[in-house]
Structure formats: structure tokens, C-alpha cells
Amino acid sequence: MTTAPIAIIGTGIAGLSAAQALTKAGCAVHLFDKSRGPGGRASSKRSDFGSLDLGAQYFTARDRRFVNQLQQWQAQGLVAEWSPTLYTANGNGLNLSPDEQVRWVGTPRMGAIGRELAKDLQTVYSCRIVEVFRGKEYWHLLDAENQSHGPFSHVICAVPAPQATALLSAAPKLAAVAAGVKMDPTWAVALCFEQPLDTDLEGCFVQNSPLDWLAANRSKPGRDGNGDTWVLHASSEWSRQHIDLSKEAVIDHLHGAFAELVNCPMPAPAMSVAHRWLYARPAGNHEWGALADADLGLYVCGDWCLSGRVEGAWLSGQEAARKLLEHLE
Ligand code: FAD
Ligand code: NAI
């Protein structure tokens, strides 16, 4: 359909969603990601105790198009419903907080979705793009190793807003919109215990604490590995205030907050991991769908163009592809 392939920077859910829609329409796409694998903030980390969902924990589906996609993923065995015993904690102890919300997780790990979506796509990993520039007719990308990639007919930037800003110097208006989006950090910690903790809590929304969320990884469907693994997320505020703390100190703090909160005997973890997500969530929601300078051939998508959720990322990728295809017609 196009004379040169389309470049997509970022293999998170948004970039992969755009890639799927474009491939389906017969376009050739080439993807680039600075990480070693796909999935972005919805990826999982392997450990001796099984895989750990350190980023996105679960997702909900409110838009019909995403519901349809989820049904397909469910039929492929890529996702399953997760119905945790939910609690809230607000400084006055734990309270059961059941609800009717359907929640989904990737199986056997969150990262399985990205792996499957990226499976047949031409992707270069461990490749940080530092510049997007236009030659006479086509687009080219420059990576951090000074290698040039291209030519491309169009470019889709599917990265968090602060990272997109740096790549959009060829389209100052798009760069200015991205620059106006603040994204908050999240410190994530996983603790692995050899024996299960004595609690029925499987997920907890936390307030008035350094923590914001905690989950029993083993309560999710299809999880592999041994031991009892817990994922703790610090609040945006705590994460911002402790952004440069060492991983060891973050683990100590959040482990302490967790022990105080769950109120059950807590042995020392057999393994602990910390990960700092610098651009974890947009400070607010937007209704942009995706950004475009169609005359230039530059498109931008990501959760921050809609809601800072897996569903928002997927819908934004679809919207970037739709806008691009519309302009090709
Ligand atoms: P990303 O996943 O960030 O993908 C962007 C990709 O671009 C990354 O792979 C990155 O490596 C790559 N990249 C960036 N810059 C460059 C560059 N210069 N060159 C090359 N590659 C680059 N959502 C929910 O729905 N439910 C939840 O429970 C939930 N919990 C969360 C918990 C945490 C701790 C975090 C961090 C996020 C959570 N989210 C949750 C949000 C959800 O993960 C995101 O909304 C979604 O995954 C974002 O997808 P994306 O494709 O827009 O961006
Ligand atoms: P959702 O509908 O389950 O939750 C939305 C919000 O509603 C929750 O954050 C919580 O405050 C509240 N809530 C939901 N169920 C509750 C219950 N049973 N009891 C008490 N409060 C309840 O999921 P949705 O809308 O898909 O949101 C995704 C989740 O991802 C949110 O929890 C959000 O905080 C989290 N997220 C975390 C990020 C991070 O960096 N830590 C980044 C992006 C999203």
C-alpha cells in the first residue's frame, strides 16, 4: 500500500495495537524498542520464583472494541479473568471491598500479550531511537549507537509523553502537546516468600500509606513458579519523593509498610526485586485518541492520549492506525 514501510517506535500495547491494525490493512511495519522485549509497562520480569507482573496488574474493558479484542485474546488463551479477594486499606486497618468489576490478566503472565502481538512483526530491540528526521521524501530514525534506520513512509511514536517530546522536533505542534503531559513515577517491589503468608488478601487498594496497591501474584490464573510472590506499588507521591532512593532502601521501606498493613507473621523474603517506572501514569486523562500531523506523516499514540490504562493504550494505537490509513486513501 505504501512505497516504504511504516516505522513504529515503542512496542508497548499502543505500538503493538497500531502495528496489528496496520498489518491487517496490508502495510509493512518495522518496530523499534529500547527494551530487550515487547510489552513496555505491561511486561513481566522472569525470576527464580516465576514471572512477576511488576507493571500493569490487571485491566478492565469499557469500550466495545476492546471488549471484542479481549474475547479473541481469551479464545487464544492469552488472557483470563482474575477475581481476587479485594480489600481496601486507609490507615484504619483492612476492609473487605468486593465488587462486580470484571478484571483481566495476561496468562500465564502479563507479558504474554505483548509477546504474542509482537510474534510475527519485524522488530529491533535494545534500540533507543534518539532522533526522527525527514530526508527529501522519506523518514529516517537515528538510534543511540548513531545507526540510521529507514527509509520509512510514516512514523508512529508510541512512547510515554516525555519520551515522545524528544522525538517530535520535526513537528513542533505535536511536541508541544506531548510536552504538556506530566507523567508520574511508580516504584514497584516484588517480594517472594518460601511459605505462603497467612492471609486471604489477594489484592488491595491502599490509601494514606507509602503504598497504593498490593497483590498476591499467585492468585492470578495460570501463574507458574514456586513460593508466594507479592507485588507492591508505591503511590505516585511517595515514588516522586523517593525517586533517587537505592533499590535496597525502597525494598526496606515498602516491605515495612506491607508488613504493617497485612497484619500477619511475615518472614524475611527469599527474594526481593525493585523496579522504578519513571513514566508510570499520566497525571490526567485526555480525549485525543492519537495525535497526528497527517501532511508530514507523523503520528503519536500511547495511554496518555486517552486514559493511563492498558485499554487506553490499545485504543490509542488503533486510533493512530485509523488516522494513518484514512490519510492513505
Ligand atoms: P509503554 O508500555 O510505556 O510502551 C512504550 C514503549 O516504548 C516501551 O516498551 C519503551 O521501552 C519504548 N520506548 C520509549 N522510548 C523509546 C525510544 N526513545 N526508543 C525506542 N523505544 C522507546 N494499566 C491498567 O490498565 N491496569 C493496571 O493495573 C495498571 N497498573 C500499572 C502499574 C504500573 C506500575 C505501571 C507502570 C503501569 C500500570 N498500568 C496499568 C498502565 C499500563 O501499563 C499502561 O497504560 C500501558 O501499558 C501503556 O502502554 P503504552 O504502549 O502506551 O506505553
Ligand atoms: P478499576 O476499576 O479496578 O479501578 C479504578 C480505581 O477504582 C482503583 O484505583 C481504586 O481506587 C478504585 N476501586 C476499584 N475497585 C475498588 C474496590 N473494590 N474497592 C475500592 N476501590 C476500588 O480499574 P481501572 O479503572 O481499569 O484502573 C486500572 C488500575 O490501574 C487502577 O487501579 C490504577 O490505579 C492502576 N494504575 C496504576 C498505575 C501505576 O503506575 N501504579 C498506572 C496506571 C494505572
Side-chain angles (χ1 to χ4, degrees), residues 27-86:
C27 301
V29 294
H30 288 193
L31 292 99
F32 300 85
D33 203 295
K34 66 184 176 59
S35 300
R36 278 179 295 168
R41 280 172 277 158
S43 56
S44 309
K45 187 180 173 66
R46 309 236 174 195
S47 84
D48 293 344
F49 284 76
S51 53
L52 311 167
D53 299 341
L54 281 176
Q57 294 295 293
Y58 65 85
F59 47 93
T60 56
R62 299 185 176 127
D63 185 284
R64 183 188 42 77
R65 290 164 292 173
F66 191 52
V67 171
N68 290 344
Q69 176 65 83
L70 269 174
Q71 283 166 353
Q72 287 175 34
W73 287 347
Q74 187 180 23
Q76 286 172 265
L78 263 189
V79 300
E81 272 190 48
W82 179 45
S83 308
T85 304
L86 276 178

Side-chain angles (χ1 to χ4, degrees), residues 55-231:
Q57 294 295 293
Y58 65 85
F59 47 93
T60 56
R62 299 185 176 127
D63 185 284
R64 183 188 42 77
R65 290 164 292 173
F66 191 52
V67 171
N68 290 344
Q69 176 65 83
L70 269 174
Q71 283 166 353
Q72 287 175 34
W73 287 347
Q74 187 180 23
Q76 286 172 265
L78 263 189
V79 300
E81 272 190 48
W82 179 45
S83 308
T85 304
L86 276 178
Y87 278 81
T88 54
N90 61 8
N92 300 319
L94 288 170
N95 290 297
L96 266 169
S97 190
D99 65 20
E100 299 294 311
Q101 179 68 58
V102 177
R103 294 183 173 82
W104 297 90
V105 293
T107 52
R109 62 190 74 86
M110 196 55 95
I113 302 170
R115 288 255 165 237
E116 177 64 23
L117 296 183
K119 196 173 68 180
D120 298 320
L121 297 171
Q122 182 164 338
T123 308
V124 186
Y125 294 110
S126 304
C127 180
R128 179 194 292 271
I129 302 301
V130 294
E131 199 185 337
V132 176
F133 63 96
R134 202 176 161 94
K136 215 168 162 197
E137 201 179 344
Y138 290 110
W139 288 99
H140 299 265
L141 310 181
L142 188 70
D143 71 23
E145 307 291 319
N146 226 16
Q147 295 277 327
S148 173
H149 306 265
F152 300 110
S153 61
H154 305 76
V155 178
I156 300 182
C157 282
V159 304
Q163 290 163 321
T165 307
L167 298 175
L168 291 170
S169 54
K173 279 190 190 151
L174 300 186
V177 177
V181 176
K182 185 170 164 278
M183 293 191 71
D184 288 326
T186 295
W187 267 111
V189 162
L191 303 175
C192 308
F193 301 96
E194 271 165 352
Q195 299 300 326
L197 297 185
D198 185 16
T199 173
D200 70 340
L201 184 155
E202 293 178 330
C204 183
F205 298 103
V206 188
Q207 286 175 335
N208 303 321
S209 157
L211 292 170
D212 160 88
W213 164 257
L214 47 103
N217 209 55
R218 73 178 145 70
S219 67
K220 296 182 179 177
R223 264 46 192 171
D224 55 0
N226 41 23
D228 186 15
T229 307
W230 289 78
V231 172

